[in-house]
Amino acid sequence: MNDMDAWTQSRYGGVAEVARTRTEIPAPARGEVLLRVRATGLNAADRHIMTGEPLLLRSAFGWSRPKQPVRGIDVAGTVVSVGPDVTGVAEGDEMVGEIPAGGGLAEYAIAPAARLVPRPAPVDPVTAAALPIAGGTAWQALDRAAASAGDRVLVLGASGGVGTFAVQLAVLRGAEVHASCSERNRPLVASLGASVTYDRRAVSLADLPEGGFDVVVDIAGDSPLRAVRRLVRDGGSAILIAGEGGRVLGPIPRVARAAALSLFSRRPLRPLAATAKPEALRELLALAADGRIAPVIERTWPLAEAGAALAHLAAGRTVGKVVVTVG
Ligand SMILES: NC(=O)c1ccc[n+]([C@@H]2O[C@H](COP(=O)([O-])OP(=O)(O)OC[C@H]3O[C@@H](n4cnc5c(N)ncnc54)[C@H](OP(=O)(O)O)[C@@H]3O)[C@@H](O)[C@H]2O)c1
């Protein structure tokens, strides 16, 4: 048997463009491994690549259709073969990491060995697959802000994948966390350790104290930049994670405005473009193994129903993470 079950798309578009198919099992090239996928976590990035929007991303992922037809960037799996020049990874190893353009919504996936780290035995594949992008982004945001014990950290948009990690990781750093989300998600966000939660529709940023926070992590990206900056104390910082932006350039105009507003400012707005950082993933896995963080997993779907998982993601109401289990 040289073929496998996979969800593929031959053009950009909505979930209807993604279909369950049989396709050839790929072979690892130099520096790559072939994984038997065990679980794949879904992220906003998968939604962007699926739809091909913002259009700017097509310069990297394919002009007329995604060069990699299979979505799923965050993958946990078992190494079944290794390509040339792969060191430190062997057949049978349980690994986790990010596959740059995706490939995880399939029984097998090719991954660059350098992007993978070992999955500790206490961390199950579903938990591991929930960590890389969302956990890594939250990790990098708090690092960038140098959030530390005693800081008051405000997380705007705390209930999604990145937000639920940002709250937990800020609490672990000893920060006092305030967080916004929908009313329905406030109990969940409070259970992650946020001291203060509020309904993002009922409370305006103008109602919050000027300069009241050492760090603001803006994940929601739907507030005016000046309103976000107003909340940060002098010498503190606001990390801008999102900003879905327009169809063509996505968050780029907001990032440019943030840069302009931050020139000579004592309250800089710092856009974050998170990258795959295996060393941070290692730390996140260690925290998960010790039970010091616990990814919020809203729901899992089996590979046979991955289309439903993508539809849920596309609806934009994900609470924590959604993960597809494979095999
Ligand atoms: N800069 C980077 O490197 C980077 C990395 C990763 C992700 N991101 C971006 O960060 C954002 C969050 O990613 P994620 O994976 O955490 O997303 P997610 O899991 O899909 O977040 C879903 C949650 O966001 C909230 N939400 C939905 N629409 C909203 C709106 N218009 N305003 C405010 N909140 C809204 C909802 O929670 P409530 O109903 O509770 O409000 C929803 O449950 C995305 O825009 C993504 O593209 C950026």
Side-chain angles (χ1 to χ4, degrees):
M1 281 248 300
N2 283 330
D3 62 350
M4 64 175 183
D5 223 358
W7 287 79
T8 62
Q9 63 179 129
S10 54
R11 57 183 178 190
Y12 289 116
V15 180
E17 298 298 339
V18 185
R20 191 177 173 196
T21 47
R22 297 293 295 176
T23 181
E24 201 175 328
I25 298 176
R30 191 173 301 280
E32 295 178 339
V33 302
L34 178 66
L35 295 174
R36 174 81 171 90
V37 180
R38 302 195 59 183
T40 297
L42 296 181
N43 290 279
D46 295 303
R47 186 177 68 227
H48 290 306
I49 303 174
M50 178 177 79
T51 58
E53 291 185 5
L55 298 176
L56 186 68
L57 70 72
R58 299 188 188 198
S59 59
F61 294 100
W63 285 112
S64 54
R65 60 189 161 139
K67 287 182 264 187
Q68 160 58 279
V70 183
R71 305 280 60 79
I73 297 171
D74 284 354
V75 171
T78 313
V79 176
V80 289
S81 64
V82 300
D85 296 341
V86 170
T87 52
V89 182
E91 224 177 287
D93 286 354
E94 293 293 339
M95 307 298 284
V96 53
E98 289 179 41
I99 308 179
L105 291 182
E107 289 177 286
Y108 295 87
I110 296 289
R115 289 281 184 97
L116 301 175
V117 302
R119 174 171 64 80
V123 182
D124 63 75
V126 168
T127 303
L131 291 169
I133 291 184
T137 301
W139 181 281
Q140 288 171 54
L142 294 169
D143 263 3
R144 183 102 192 269
S148 52
D151 280 353
R152 185 176 285 174
V153 173
L154 173 64
V155 179
L156 298 172
S159 60
V162 179
T164 48
F165 281 112
V167 171
Q168 293 186 67
L169 292 171
V171 169
L172 259 187
R173 286 176 179 235
E176 175 188 311
V177 177
H178 296 221
S180 78
C181 56
S182 291
E183 183 61 27
R184 67 179 176 127
N185 290 325
R186 286 179 63 199
L188 166 76
V189 171
S191 76
L192 300 176
S195 315
V196 179
T197 65
Y198 62 89
D199 176 359
R200 68 177 168 87
R201 290 185 186 83
V203 177
S204 143
L205 296 195
D207 300 331
L208 302 179
E210 175 162 8
F213 300 92
D214 302 285
V215 173
V216 177
V217 181
D218 180 10
I219 300 163
D222 59 347
S223 302
L225 290 170
R226 285 179 196 280
V228 175
R229 186 174 66 170
R230 182 189 149 272
L231 301 174
V232 183
R233 69 159 168 82
D234 282 356
S237 56
I239 308 298
L240 307 179
I241 301 228
E244 291 284 319
R247 251 197 95 215
V248 178
L249 295 177
I252 303 285
R254 183 172 159 93
V255 166
R257 281 198 306 279
L261 270 177
S262 299
L263 280 176
F264 313 116
S265 171
R266 283 169 300 171
R267 304 169 174 192
L269 296 160
R270 300 197 162 112
L272 176 76
T275 52
K277 290 204 187 304
E279 65 280 11
L281 179 56
R282 238 180 247 277
E283 304 269 3
L284 289 164
L285 284 159
L287 292 174
D290 288 350
R292 299 178 73 202
I293 59 168
V296 174
I297 296 174
E298 179 183 5
R299 208 188 137 172
T300 64
W301 277 266
L303 182 63
E305 294 168 26
L310 283 169
H312 183 67
L313 181 78
R317 302 285 288 162
T318 308
V319 180
K321 300 294 303 171
V322 298
V323 179
V324 172
T325 55
V326 186

